[in-house]
Amino acid sequence: MAKNFDVVVIGGGPGGYIAAIRAAQLGFNVACIDEWKNKDGKPAPGGTCTNVGCIPSKALLQSSEHFEHAGKHFADHGINVKGLDLDLAKMLARKDQVVKQNNDGILFLFKKNKVSFFHGRGAFAKSSGDGYEIKVSGASEETITGKHVIVATGSNARALPGAAFDEERILSNDGALRIEGVPKKLGLIGSGVIGLEMGSVWRRLGSEVTVLEALPTFLGAVDEQIAKEAKKAFDKQGLKIELGVKVAEVKSNKQGVAVSYTSATGESKILEVDRLIVSIGRVPNTIGLEPDAVGLKLDERGAVLVDDQCRTNLPNVWAIGDVVRGPMLAHKAEEEGVAVAERIAGQHGHVNFNTIPWVIYTSPEIAWVGQTEQQLKAAGVQYKAGTFPFMANGRARALGDTTGMVKFLADAKTDEILGVHIVGPMASELISEAVVAMEFRASSEDIARICHAHPSLSEATKEAALAVDKRTLNF
Ligand SMILES: Cc1cc2nc3c(=O)[nH]c(=O)nc-3n(C[C@H](O)[C@H](O)[C@H](O)COP(=O)(O)OP(=O)(O)OC[C@H]3O[C@@H](n4cnc5c(N)ncnc54)[C@H](O)[C@@H]3O)c2cc1C
């Protein structure tokens, strides 16, 4: 006898597990199926984000930053470190422990919210009555039915044609997070978020890192002024970034990897490295989902086709997160998960795509929300800009990290905030004030009139808002 559920969620990443919890909170009988296993074969819900994405990358970014501070910056504070030594095995084990805490936390949350968890792969079998039969293949095989199905099967790393991931020499994000010895020379293809974060980790730990990027501009999606400031900082740190390259061939053997490419000036070059991380984007994942069994439509990129409410072409089948259109971000997946659960309950769940924050957790951090200056120019929007450098912020000076700035873009007539861009210390935390402001459709003057604690980095946000009206107080 099939077990019947109101809602079956396929995929237990940030989109899926949050959707399952919200649906359970709303009184539905919910199942969540996830196939991720840890190295002991045990369930490891949390998806890419928890296992090989957001969480382990931030754990290693933190550890490697401590290492760099101890080696290069503690002396500025009068702290002399002698005999500094890297225990990479311990650093990686700590990262694994952080991941496990998150996996266990999700299993606990499923219990707390009475979500039935199935460890295995979920595949559409057929439509049945007023719902769908889903076959679960794992340690045991069973079939469950759901009146509603939420597909949250995520994404996989895109490989370079002719250079499949072996996770030994040619690494995806997975292998990049568990290299067992610091490579002397590390190559990276792709200077997007993941590439820059992984490059930063291994550079801090001692690798000589070269990043090859096909696009002619650095961080094209980021506000140009902010991207330039970030590039200056990365150059200073010794992260070599070559733009406008065309990779011709990647050859690897036990000794290392050779990347043949043409530089922006048309020169033929070869980059020889011990390991190569390829981070050229991610592809939506529907492997093993059997969408054809029920006629679920995919688009030309292989993403599940959805409308702006995450409805697929099938009644009561929804899809969220990396497997659908839109930014591949954990918090976007979560927001869609909550919104879909609420729509199933007849509520008006919504996701505001204009206020989704973006963060790159390098040093300096880069974070933004809303439109960039180049987007506003292209759209012919009249705007005012205000910037404030961390160099003029007391807390940043005390921290010893004065790189970067906060930048506000506001409508020229109404003063409504259209975009906020930050490069500098704790940009990932500072951006949330801008997100709140934009959600409430605040003006730059609203932020400028709010009392901010002193001394704090957030004063740079207030000052950048004042700068829109050309009346900074500390610069
Ligand atoms: C290195 C790296 C760093 C990142 N850092 C950040 C960051 O700092 N901030 C941020 O917002 N985003 C970050 N991301 C992106 C983020 O991880 C994704 O956007 C997010 O995980 C997408 O969530 P999801 O639930 O859609 O899919 P996923 O997290 O990919 O989860 C999908 C889950 O479904 C399971 N699954 C797939 N098919 C089936 C099936 N048929 N049956 C059962 N289970 C199935 C998978 O095993 C997986 O557990 C990062 C990504 C990477 C690779």
Side-chain angles (χ1 to χ4, degrees):
M1 262 277 285
K3 291 178 187 151
N4 301 316
F5 293 91
D6 299 320
V7 179
V8 172
V9 184
I10 308 178
Y17 91 78
I18 289 291
I21 289 172
R22 183 71 188 119
Q25 283 175 347
L26 289 163
F28 294 114
N29 178 19
V30 182
C32 183
I33 311 165
D34 188 79
E35 65 178 344
W36 207 296
K37 289 184 195 140
N38 64 18
K39 39 184 193 261
D40 306 321
K42 297 266 163 43
T48 302
C49 168
T50 302
N51 293 294
V52 290
C54 323
I55 301 298
S57 61
K58 266 81 254 176
L60 286 186
L61 278 157
Q62 190 61 55
S63 300
S64 61
E65 195 166 8
H66 283 325
F67 183 67
E68 183 160 75
H69 278 303
K72 295 191 180 152
H73 306 301
F74 276 11
D76 299 341
H77 295 258
I79 305 166
N80 297 318
V81 179
K82 290 206 181 87
L84 181 68
D85 193 24
L86 175 68
D87 184 345
L88 181 61
K90 187 160 183 186
M91 194 180 279
L92 294 177
R94 175 189 175 273
K95 178 256 311 174
D96 291 342
Q97 193 50 34
V98 173
V99 168
K100 187 169 183 307
Q101 283 165 358
N102 281 273
N103 296 141
D104 292 349
I106 296 167
L107 290 170
F108 165 78
L109 289 170
F110 280 159
K111 270 205 187 114
K112 181 181 158 201
N113 289 283
K114 302 192 174 49
V115 171
S116 302
F117 176 66
F118 292 84
H119 190 211
R121 174 169 284 185
F124 281 105
K126 59 176 182 179
S127 353
S128 118
D130 63 347
Y132 298 86
E133 272 189 17
I134 310 291
K135 194 173 154 204
V136 185
S137 321
S140 60
E141 303 240 327
E142 55 191 314
T143 300
I144 62 177
T145 68
K147 279 188 201 148
H148 287 263
V149 179
I150 304 176
V151 177
T153 46
S155 62
N156 293 316
R158 184 192 301 279
L160 203 63
F165 296 118
D166 57 18
E167 306 299 2
E168 268 299 313
R169 296 279 157 201
I170 303 178
L171 315 172
S172 71
N173 55 295
D174 180 9
L177 287 160
R178 52 183 171 87
I179 307 176
E180 281 170 4
V182 178
K184 198 162 173 302
K185 290 189 171 187
L186 177 69
L188 258 136
I189 301 190
S191 71
V193 179
I194 297 170
L196 287 175
E197 291 186 0
M198 291 297 94
S200 295
V201 165
W202 294 105
R203 182 200 58 73
R204 290 168 187 169
L205 298 180
S207 292
E208 186 187 320
V209 179
T210 306
V211 186
L212 301 180
E213 168 60 55
L215 293 174
T217 39
F218 179 62
L219 289 177
V222 174
D223 185 90
E224 259 171 34
Q225 190 179 4
I226 298 292
K228 265 195 199 140
E229 191 72 16
K231 176 82 170 36
K232 262 198 278 173
F234 296 142
D235 288 346
K236 211 163 133 196
Q237 290 164 7
L239 199 64
K240 288 188 211 144
I241 304 170
E242 268 202 63
L243 301 172
V245 310
K246 201 162 178 258
V247 172
E249 197 185 21
V250 175
K251 276 192 194 155
S252 81
N253 59 29
K254 283 211 169 92
Q255 275 69 52
V257 188
V259 184
S260 311
Y261 67 99
T262 314
S263 74
T265 53
E267 219 182 318
S268 292
K269 288 184 164 182
I270 297 179
L271 172 71
E272 288 183 335
V273 289
D274 303 309
R275 315 253 183 165
L276 180 73
I277 300 174
V278 177
S279 58
I280 54 168
R282 299 185 58 84
V283 279
N285 170 39
T286 52
I287 298 168
L289 181 68
E290 305 293 350
D292 293 343
V294 286
L296 179 67
K297 276 196 191 153
L298 309 184
D299 69 12
E300 61 294 343
R301 291 183 319 121
V304 177
L305 199 62
V306 287
D307 65 9
D308 58 359
Q309 306 247 307
C310 295
R311 288 175 208 276
T312 68
N313 64 307
L314 300 174
N316 300 338
V317 178
W318 310 73
I320 58 171
D322 279 13
V323 78
V324 303
R325 81 294 169 260
M328 288 189 172
L329 291 170
H331 42 283
K332 175 263 193 184
E334 291 178 18
E335 291 300 304
E336 286 183 333
V338 169
V340 163
E342 292 177 353
R343 282 171 198 141
I344 292 173
Q347 298 183 2
H348 298 281
H350 93 293
V351 181
N352 183 354
F353 276 81
N354 295 323
T355 55
I356 293 177
W358 291 77
V359 180
I360 308 178
Y361 294 81
T362 43
S363 176
E365 291 187 345
I366 305 166
W368 70 99
V369 57
Q371 314 246 42
T372 61
E373 201 164 345
Q374 59 268 29
Q375 282 173 328
L376 294 177
K377 277 188 187 145
V381 176
Q382 300 294 310
Y383 65 92
K384 299 176 286 181
T387 58
F388 186 82
F390 283 108
M391 209 178 47
N393 174 272
R395 183 77 195 280
R397 288 192 197 123
L399 284 174
D401 189 355
T402 53
T403 317
M405 69 180 89
V406 180
K407 174 172 179 175
F408 264 65
L409 297 168
D411 187 282
K413 263 201 206 124
T414 64
D415 194 35
E416 180 174 347
I417 302 166
L418 302 175
V420 177
H421 306 269
I422 308 175
V423 54
M426 291 305 209
S428 56
E429 299 296 332
L430 294 174
I431 199 66
S432 59
E433 179 179 5
V435 176
V436 173
M438 285 185 65
E439 265 296 335
F440 287 96
R441 302 197 60 183
S443 63
S444 71
E445 192 183 348
D446 287 329
I447 299 299
R449 285 184 181 275
I450 291 172
C451 181
H452 288 66
H454 175 77
S456 70
L457 296 170
S458 70
E459 286 174 294
T461 307
K462 176 187 171 112
E463 291 271 7
L466 282 165
V468 170
D469 199 28
K470 301 201 175 5
R471 53 189 182 99
T472 51
L473 297 164
N474 283 288
F475 189 61

